[in-house]
Amino acid sequence: MTTTRIAIYGAMLIKEIEAHFPTLLGADFDHGEVIMFAQVAQESGWNPDAKSPVGACGLLQLMPGTDKEIDGDYDGADPQGNLDNGVRYLAWLYSKFAEIPDPQQRICFALAAYNGGRGYINKALELGRIYDGWPGSYDAWVRDDRPNGRWQTWQFASTFLADPRCEVGGKRPDHKQIISYVSAICQHASKLLREVYP
């Protein structure tokens, strides 16, 4: 059954990537669609009726509020609408990490934000900039001529998710879960790449 679902929903997913996240199909990525195939596998196991304990729905497990915010309506478990909104959401998150120059690194930050919230990822980046001796705030970093550093890599920046100062609105991220999520998707995408495009 899963093979049939992958064939059906995978074709839908490719169309949504072409429409809303063509960067994944460009020269910066080697068959970048495998990243989102791996994300769907991680989120729902290709089950369009999947629902998390906190209410996330569908193939790409969108929360109802996020789902509605993306295009003004709630698609829930509808495969087409869920994939459409999930691809749009990941593409939007990717666009918000322009300070990460390497596309392979940037997609890790976007996936982390998809899973745990953009605020926590921005806070980890801020702490990473400070650790590297640069201004913590994004605007101050821009004014200082955008210096590069280790903080622009997921492996380095992700360690700051566990820092006690990494909090948003008095809440701390589930850093182990976020890091595990990104790692699982990247590993699965690499496996798919080897299997599908040897």
Side-chain angles (χ1 to χ4, degrees), residues 70-97:
I70 292 166
D71 64 356
D73 66 0
Y74 175 62
D75 296 292
D78 172 63
Q80 185 74 51
N82 189 269
L83 289 174
D84 177 77
N85 284 351
V87 171
R88 286 178 191 232
Y89 186 44
L90 187 64
W92 179 78
L93 289 167
Y94 183 86
S95 76
K96 295 299 177 182
F97 292 104

PDB file of all heavy atoms in Angstrom, residues 70-97:
ATOM      1  N   ILE A  70      -1.505  29.788   5.392  1.00  0.00           N
ATOM      2  CA  ILE A  70      -0.772  29.722   4.128  1.00  0.00           C
ATOM      3  C   ILE A  70      -1.611  30.185   2.951  1.00  0.00           C
ATOM      4  O   ILE A  70      -1.156  30.969   2.115  1.00  0.00           O
ATOM      5  CB  ILE A  70      -0.218  28.297   3.892  1.00  0.00           C
ATOM      6  CG1 ILE A  70       0.880  28.011   4.922  1.00  0.00           C
ATOM      7  CG2 ILE A  70       0.342  28.143   2.473  1.00  0.00           C
ATOM      8  CD1 ILE A  70       1.286  26.564   5.039  1.00  0.00           C
ATOM      9  N   ASP A  71      -2.854  29.699   2.863  1.00  0.00           N
ATOM     10  CA  ASP A  71      -3.655  30.082   1.690  1.00  0.00           C
ATOM     11  C   ASP A  71      -5.102  30.461   2.022  1.00  0.00           C
ATOM     12  O   ASP A  71      -5.942  30.561   1.141  1.00  0.00           O
ATOM     13  CB  ASP A  71      -3.637  28.964   0.639  1.00  0.00           C
ATOM     14  CG  ASP A  71      -4.294  27.685   1.109  1.00  0.00           C
ATOM     15  OD1 ASP A  71      -4.703  27.614   2.288  1.00  0.00           O
ATOM     16  OD2 ASP A  71      -4.393  26.736   0.308  1.00  0.00           O
ATOM     17  N   GLY A  72      -5.383  30.658   3.311  1.00  0.00           N
ATOM     18  CA  GLY A  72      -6.701  31.155   3.693  1.00  0.00           C
ATOM     19  C   GLY A  72      -7.770  30.112   3.938  1.00  0.00           C
ATOM     20  O   GLY A  72      -8.883  30.446   4.328  1.00  0.00           O
ATOM     21  N   ASP A  73      -7.448  28.825   3.667  1.00  0.00           N
ATOM     22  CA  ASP A  73      -8.430  27.794   3.978  1.00  0.00           C
ATOM     23  C   ASP A  73      -7.738  26.623   4.666  1.00  0.00           C
ATOM     24  O   ASP A  73      -6.523  26.538   4.698  1.00  0.00           O
ATOM     25  CB  ASP A  73      -9.192  27.326   2.725  1.00  0.00           C
ATOM     26  CG  ASP A  73      -8.300  26.616   1.711  1.00  0.00           C
ATOM     27  OD1 ASP A  73      -7.077  26.473   1.954  1.00  0.00           O
ATOM     28  OD2 ASP A  73      -8.813  26.199   0.668  1.00  0.00           O
ATOM     29  N   TYR A  74      -8.555  25.744   5.232  1.00  0.00           N
ATOM     30  CA  TYR A  74      -8.016  24.597   5.958  1.00  0.00           C
ATOM     31  C   TYR A  74      -8.181  23.349   5.103  1.00  0.00           C
ATOM     32  O   TYR A  74      -9.294  22.962   4.765  1.00  0.00           O
ATOM     33  CB  TYR A  74      -8.744  24.433   7.298  1.00  0.00           C
ATOM     34  CG  TYR A  74      -8.326  23.208   8.062  1.00  0.00           C
ATOM     35  CD1 TYR A  74      -7.008  23.049   8.490  1.00  0.00           C
ATOM     36  CD2 TYR A  74      -9.233  22.192   8.344  1.00  0.00           C
ATOM     37  CE1 TYR A  74      -6.613  21.914   9.194  1.00  0.00           C
ATOM     38  CE2 TYR A  74      -8.855  21.060   9.045  1.00  0.00           C
ATOM     39  CZ  TYR A  74      -7.540  20.925   9.462  1.00  0.00           C
ATOM     40  OH  TYR A  74      -7.148  19.805  10.144  1.00  0.00           O
ATOM     41  N   ASP A  75      -7.069  22.739   4.730  1.00  0.00           N
ATOM     42  CA  ASP A  75      -7.102  21.557   3.873  1.00  0.00           C
ATOM     43  C   ASP A  75      -7.082  20.255   4.663  1.00  0.00           C
ATOM     44  O   ASP A  75      -7.490  19.215   4.147  1.00  0.00           O
ATOM     45  CB  ASP A  75      -5.909  21.575   2.905  1.00  0.00           C
ATOM     46  CG  ASP A  75      -5.977  22.752   1.955  1.00  0.00           C
ATOM     47  OD1 ASP A  75      -6.869  22.769   1.106  1.00  0.00           O
ATOM     48  OD2 ASP A  75      -5.150  23.678   2.076  1.00  0.00           O
ATOM     49  N   GLY A  76      -6.576  20.296   5.889  1.00  0.00           N
ATOM     50  CA  GLY A  76      -6.557  19.101   6.730  1.00  0.00           C
ATOM     51  C   GLY A  76      -5.855  17.943   6.063  1.00  0.00           C
ATOM     52  O   GLY A  76      -4.718  18.050   5.626  1.00  0.00           O
ATOM     53  N   ALA A  77      -6.566  16.821   5.954  1.00  0.00           N
ATOM     54  CA  ALA A  77      -5.978  15.599   5.415  1.00  0.00           C
ATOM     55  C   ALA A  77      -6.075  15.499   3.897  1.00  0.00           C
ATOM     56  O   ALA A  77      -5.612  14.515   3.326  1.00  0.00           O
ATOM     57  CB  ALA A  77      -6.651  14.382   6.062  1.00  0.00           C
ATOM     58  N   ASP A  78      -6.688  16.475   3.231  1.00  0.00           N
ATOM     59  CA  ASP A  78      -6.766  16.428   1.771  1.00  0.00           C
ATOM     60  C   ASP A  78      -5.356  16.383   1.183  1.00  0.00           C
ATOM     61  O   ASP A  78      -4.574  17.319   1.377  1.00  0.00           O
ATOM     62  CB  ASP A  78      -7.506  17.652   1.243  1.00  0.00           C
ATOM     63  CG  ASP A  78      -7.432  17.751  -0.266  1.00  0.00           C
ATOM     64  OD1 ASP A  78      -7.952  16.850  -0.947  1.00  0.00           O
ATOM     65  OD2 ASP A  78      -6.809  18.709  -0.769  1.00  0.00           O
ATOM     66  N   PRO A  79      -4.986  15.305   0.491  1.00  0.00           N
ATOM     67  CA  PRO A  79      -3.590  15.155   0.040  1.00  0.00           C
ATOM     68  C   PRO A  79      -3.095  16.309  -0.823  1.00  0.00           C
ATOM     69  O   PRO A  79      -2.001  16.829  -0.592  1.00  0.00           O
ATOM     70  CB  PRO A  79      -3.610  13.842  -0.755  1.00  0.00           C
ATOM     71  CG  PRO A  79      -4.770  13.080  -0.219  1.00  0.00           C
ATOM     72  CD  PRO A  79      -5.785  14.122   0.148  1.00  0.00           C
ATOM     73  N   GLN A  80      -3.902  16.722  -1.801  1.00  0.00           N
ATOM     74  CA  GLN A  80      -3.465  17.795  -2.708  1.00  0.00           C
ATOM     75  C   GLN A  80      -3.241  19.099  -1.953  1.00  0.00           C
ATOM     76  O   GLN A  80      -2.200  19.745  -2.079  1.00  0.00           O
ATOM     77  CB  GLN A  80      -4.510  17.997  -3.811  1.00  0.00           C
ATOM     78  CG  GLN A  80      -4.097  19.004  -4.879  1.00  0.00           C
ATOM     79  CD  GLN A  80      -3.051  18.446  -5.823  1.00  0.00           C
ATOM     80  OE1 GLN A  80      -3.233  17.361  -6.373  1.00  0.00           O
ATOM     81  NE2 GLN A  80      -1.960  19.151  -6.008  1.00  0.00           N
ATOM     82  N   GLY A  81      -4.224  19.491  -1.158  1.00  0.00           N
ATOM     83  CA  GLY A  81      -4.115  20.743  -0.420  1.00  0.00           C
ATOM     84  C   GLY A  81      -3.013  20.710   0.615  1.00  0.00           C
ATOM     85  O   GLY A  81      -2.293  21.693   0.807  1.00  0.00           O
ATOM     86  N   ASN A  82      -2.853  19.572   1.284  1.00  0.00           N
ATOM     87  CA  ASN A  82      -1.821  19.445   2.313  1.00  0.00           C
ATOM     88  C   ASN A  82      -0.432  19.527   1.708  1.00  0.00           C
ATOM     89  O   ASN A  82       0.451  20.222   2.234  1.00  0.00           O
ATOM     90  CB  ASN A  82      -2.021  18.143   3.078  1.00  0.00           C
ATOM     91  CG  ASN A  82      -1.134  18.043   4.295  1.00  0.00           C
ATOM     92  OD1 ASN A  82      -0.031  17.520   4.214  1.00  0.00           O
ATOM     93  ND2 ASN A  82      -1.608  18.562   5.424  1.00  0.00           N
ATOM     94  N   LEU A  83      -0.221  18.830   0.592  1.00  0.00           N
ATOM     95  CA  LEU A  83       1.090  18.893  -0.072  1.00  0.00           C
ATOM     96  C   LEU A  83       1.357  20.295  -0.596  1.00  0.00           C
ATOM     97  O   LEU A  83       2.475  20.814  -0.478  1.00  0.00           O
ATOM     98  CB  LEU A  83       1.165  17.872  -1.210  1.00  0.00           C
ATOM     99  CG  LEU A  83       1.231  16.403  -0.799  1.00  0.00           C
ATOM    100  CD1 LEU A  83       1.145  15.504  -2.023  1.00  0.00           C
ATOM    101  CD2 LEU A  83       2.496  16.103   0.004  1.00  0.00           C
ATOM    102  N   ASP A  84       0.330  20.908  -1.179  1.00  0.00           N
ATOM    103  CA  ASP A  84       0.465  22.267  -1.695  1.00  0.00           C
ATOM    104  C   ASP A  84       0.930  23.212  -0.585  1.00  0.00           C
ATOM    105  O   ASP A  84       1.918  23.940  -0.735  1.00  0.00           O
ATOM    106  CB  ASP A  84      -0.879  22.730  -2.271  1.00  0.00           C
ATOM    107  CG  ASP A  84      -0.841  24.171  -2.759  1.00  0.00           C
ATOM    108  OD1 ASP A  84      -0.294  24.409  -3.846  1.00  0.00           O
ATOM    109  OD2 ASP A  84      -1.360  25.047  -2.043  1.00  0.00           O
ATOM    110  N   ASN A  85       0.248  23.172   0.544  1.00  0.00           N
ATOM    111  CA  ASN A  85       0.576  24.077   1.640  1.00  0.00           C
ATOM    112  C   ASN A  85       1.904  23.722   2.308  1.00  0.00           C
ATOM    113  O   ASN A  85       2.659  24.610   2.709  1.00  0.00           O
ATOM    114  CB  ASN A  85      -0.545  24.091   2.677  1.00  0.00           C
ATOM    115  CG  ASN A  85      -1.745  24.895   2.208  1.00  0.00           C
ATOM    116  OD1 ASN A  85      -1.689  25.582   1.193  1.00  0.00           O
ATOM    117  ND2 ASN A  85      -2.840  24.802   2.923  1.00  0.00           N
ATOM    118  N   GLY A  86       2.191  22.421   2.439  1.00  0.00           N
ATOM    119  CA  GLY A  86       3.448  22.017   3.050  1.00  0.00           C
ATOM    120  C   GLY A  86       4.654  22.443   2.230  1.00  0.00           C
ATOM    121  O   GLY A  86       5.656  22.910   2.778  1.00  0.00           O
ATOM    122  N   VAL A  87       4.557  22.296   0.910  1.00  0.00           N
ATOM    123  CA  VAL A  87       5.653  22.720   0.029  1.00  0.00           C
ATOM    124  C   VAL A  87       5.809  24.239   0.101  1.00  0.00           C
ATOM    125  O   VAL A  87       6.921  24.760   0.197  1.00  0.00           O
ATOM    126  CB  VAL A  87       5.424  22.252  -1.421  1.00  0.00           C
ATOM    127  CG1 VAL A  87       6.444  22.875  -2.370  1.00  0.00           C
ATOM    128  CG2 VAL A  87       5.490  20.730  -1.504  1.00  0.00           C
ATOM    129  N   ARG A  88       4.695  24.951   0.052  1.00  0.00           N
ATOM    130  CA  ARG A  88       4.756  26.426   0.159  1.00  0.00           C
ATOM    131  C   ARG A  88       5.418  26.854   1.476  1.00  0.00           C
ATOM    132  O   ARG A  88       6.199  27.796   1.510  1.00  0.00           O
ATOM    133  CB  ARG A  88       3.347  27.020   0.113  1.00  0.00           C
ATOM    134  CG  ARG A  88       2.689  27.013  -1.233  1.00  0.00           C
ATOM    135  CD  ARG A  88       1.284  27.583  -1.089  1.00  0.00           C
ATOM    136  NE  ARG A  88       0.492  27.391  -2.267  1.00  0.00           N
ATOM    137  CZ  ARG A  88      -0.167  28.374  -2.886  1.00  0.00           C
ATOM    138  NH1 ARG A  88      -0.099  29.608  -2.435  1.00  0.00           N
ATOM    139  NH2 ARG A  88      -0.884  28.118  -3.948  1.00  0.00           N
ATOM    140  N   TYR A  89       5.051  26.159   2.540  1.00  0.00           N
ATOM    141  CA  TYR A  89       5.570  26.520   3.863  1.00  0.00           C
ATOM    142  C   TYR A  89       7.071  26.283   3.954  1.00  0.00           C
ATOM    143  O   TYR A  89       7.817  27.148   4.421  1.00  0.00           O
ATOM    144  CB  TYR A  89       4.819  25.721   4.929  1.00  0.00           C
ATOM    145  CG  TYR A  89       5.149  26.106   6.351  1.00  0.00           C
ATOM    146  CD1 TYR A  89       5.237  27.442   6.733  1.00  0.00           C
ATOM    147  CD2 TYR A  89       5.349  25.128   7.325  1.00  0.00           C
ATOM    148  CE1 TYR A  89       5.529  27.793   8.048  1.00  0.00           C
ATOM    149  CE2 TYR A  89       5.636  25.469   8.635  1.00  0.00           C
ATOM    150  CZ  TYR A  89       5.727  26.802   8.987  1.00  0.00           C
ATOM    151  OH  TYR A  89       6.032  27.148  10.292  1.00  0.00           O
ATOM    152  N   LEU A  90       7.539  25.129   3.477  1.00  0.00           N
ATOM    153  CA  LEU A  90       8.977  24.868   3.516  1.00  0.00           C
ATOM    154  C   LEU A  90       9.733  25.847   2.620  1.00  0.00           C
ATOM    155  O   LEU A  90      10.799  26.342   2.996  1.00  0.00           O
ATOM    156  CB  LEU A  90       9.289  23.425   3.114  1.00  0.00           C
ATOM    157  CG  LEU A  90      10.758  23.020   3.286  1.00  0.00           C
ATOM    158  CD1 LEU A  90      11.186  23.058   4.763  1.00  0.00           C
ATOM    159  CD2 LEU A  90      11.019  21.632   2.702  1.00  0.00           C
ATOM    160  N   ALA A  91       9.181  26.169   1.457  1.00  0.00           N
ATOM    161  CA  ALA A  91       9.816  27.135   0.556  1.00  0.00           C
ATOM    162  C   ALA A  91       9.913  28.507   1.221  1.00  0.00           C
ATOM    163  O   ALA A  91      10.930  29.204   1.126  1.00  0.00           O
ATOM    164  CB  ALA A  91       9.037  27.231  -0.756  1.00  0.00           C
ATOM    165  N   TRP A  92       8.839  28.903   1.922  1.00  0.00           N
ATOM    166  CA  TRP A  92       8.836  30.194   2.618  1.00  0.00           C
ATOM    167  C   TRP A  92       9.896  30.213   3.724  1.00  0.00           C
ATOM    168  O   TRP A  92      10.642  31.185   3.859  1.00  0.00           O
ATOM    169  CB  TRP A  92       7.445  30.457   3.204  1.00  0.00           C
ATOM    170  CG  TRP A  92       7.349  31.744   3.964  1.00  0.00           C
ATOM    171  CD1 TRP A  92       7.238  33.002   3.447  1.00  0.00           C
ATOM    172  CD2 TRP A  92       7.368  31.881   5.388  1.00  0.00           C
ATOM    173  NE1 TRP A  92       7.187  33.922   4.478  1.00  0.00           N
ATOM    174  CE2 TRP A  92       7.260  33.263   5.672  1.00  0.00           C
ATOM    175  CE3 TRP A  92       7.470  30.988   6.442  1.00  0.00           C
ATOM    176  CZ2 TRP A  92       7.249  33.761   6.970  1.00  0.00           C
ATOM    177  CZ3 TRP A  92       7.445  31.473   7.731  1.00  0.00           C
ATOM    178  CH2 TRP A  92       7.339  32.849   7.990  1.00  0.00           C
ATOM    179  N   LEU A  93       9.969  29.129   4.482  1.00  0.00           N
ATOM    180  CA  LEU A  93      10.986  29.055   5.536  1.00  0.00           C
ATOM    181  C   LEU A  93      12.389  29.112   4.950  1.00  0.00           C
ATOM    182  O   LEU A  93      13.262  29.799   5.482  1.00  0.00           O
ATOM    183  CB  LEU A  93      10.797  27.771   6.356  1.00  0.00           C
ATOM    184  CG  LEU A  93       9.568  27.736   7.267  1.00  0.00           C
ATOM    185  CD1 LEU A  93       9.317  26.324   7.765  1.00  0.00           C
ATOM    186  CD2 LEU A  93       9.716  28.708   8.429  1.00  0.00           C
ATOM    187  N   TYR A  94      12.595  28.419   3.856  1.00  0.00           N
ATOM    188  CA  TYR A  94      13.896  28.441   3.175  1.00  0.00           C
ATOM    189  C   TYR A  94      14.270  29.874   2.794  1.00  0.00           C
ATOM    190  O   TYR A  94      15.419  30.300   2.959  1.00  0.00           O
ATOM    191  CB  TYR A  94      13.833  27.538   1.947  1.00  0.00           C
ATOM    192  CG  TYR A  94      15.121  27.413   1.181  1.00  0.00           C
ATOM    193  CD1 TYR A  94      16.082  26.469   1.533  1.00  0.00           C
ATOM    194  CD2 TYR A  94      15.378  28.230   0.080  1.00  0.00           C
ATOM    195  CE1 TYR A  94      17.268  26.340   0.816  1.00  0.00           C
ATOM    196  CE2 TYR A  94      16.556  28.108  -0.631  1.00  0.00           C
ATOM    197  CZ  TYR A  94      17.499  27.166  -0.260  1.00  0.00           C
ATOM    198  OH  TYR A  94      18.675  27.054  -0.984  1.00  0.00           O
ATOM    199  N   SER A  95      13.297  30.635   2.317  1.00  0.00           N
ATOM    200  CA  SER A  95      13.554  32.027   1.902  1.00  0.00           C
ATOM    201  C   SER A  95      13.915  32.921   3.083  1.00  0.00           C
ATOM    202  O   SER A  95      14.531  33.972   2.903  1.00  0.00           O
ATOM    203  CB  SER A  95      12.340  32.599   1.168  1.00  0.00           C
ATOM    204  OG  SER A  95      11.296  32.941   2.080  1.00  0.00           O
ATOM    205  N   LYS A  96      13.526  32.523   4.288  1.00  0.00           N
ATOM    206  CA  LYS A  96      13.768  33.344   5.474  1.00  0.00           C
ATOM    207  C   LYS A  96      15.150  33.136   6.079  1.00  0.00           C
ATOM    208  O   LYS A  96      15.494  33.816   7.048  1.00  0.00           O
ATOM    209  CB  LYS A  96      12.699  33.064   6.546  1.00  0.00           C
ATOM    210  CG  LYS A  96      11.308  33.477   6.130  1.00  0.00           C
ATOM    211  CD  LYS A  96      11.247  34.962   5.851  1.00  0.00           C
ATOM    212  CE  LYS A  96       9.902  35.417   5.356  1.00  0.00           C
ATOM    213  NZ  LYS A  96       9.891  36.858   5.051  1.00  0.00           N
ATOM    214  N   PHE A  97      15.944  32.222   5.523  1.00  0.00           N
ATOM    215  CA  PHE A  97      17.288  31.985   6.045  1.00  0.00           C
ATOM    216  C   PHE A  97      18.346  32.387   5.010  1.00  0.00           C
ATOM    217  O   PHE A  97      19.303  31.655   4.750  1.00  0.00           O
ATOM    218  CB  PHE A  97      17.456  30.529   6.479  1.00  0.00           C
ATOM    219  CG  PHE A  97      16.636  30.187   7.687  1.00  0.00           C
ATOM    220  CD1 PHE A  97      15.465  29.444   7.570  1.00  0.00           C
ATOM    221  CD2 PHE A  97      17.009  30.636   8.948  1.00  0.00           C
ATOM    222  CE1 PHE A  97      14.702  29.143   8.685  1.00  0.00           C
ATOM    223  CE2 PHE A  97      16.242  30.344  10.069  1.00  0.00           C
ATOM    224  CZ  PHE A  97      15.088  29.596   9.936  1.00  0.00           C
TER     225      PHE A  97
END
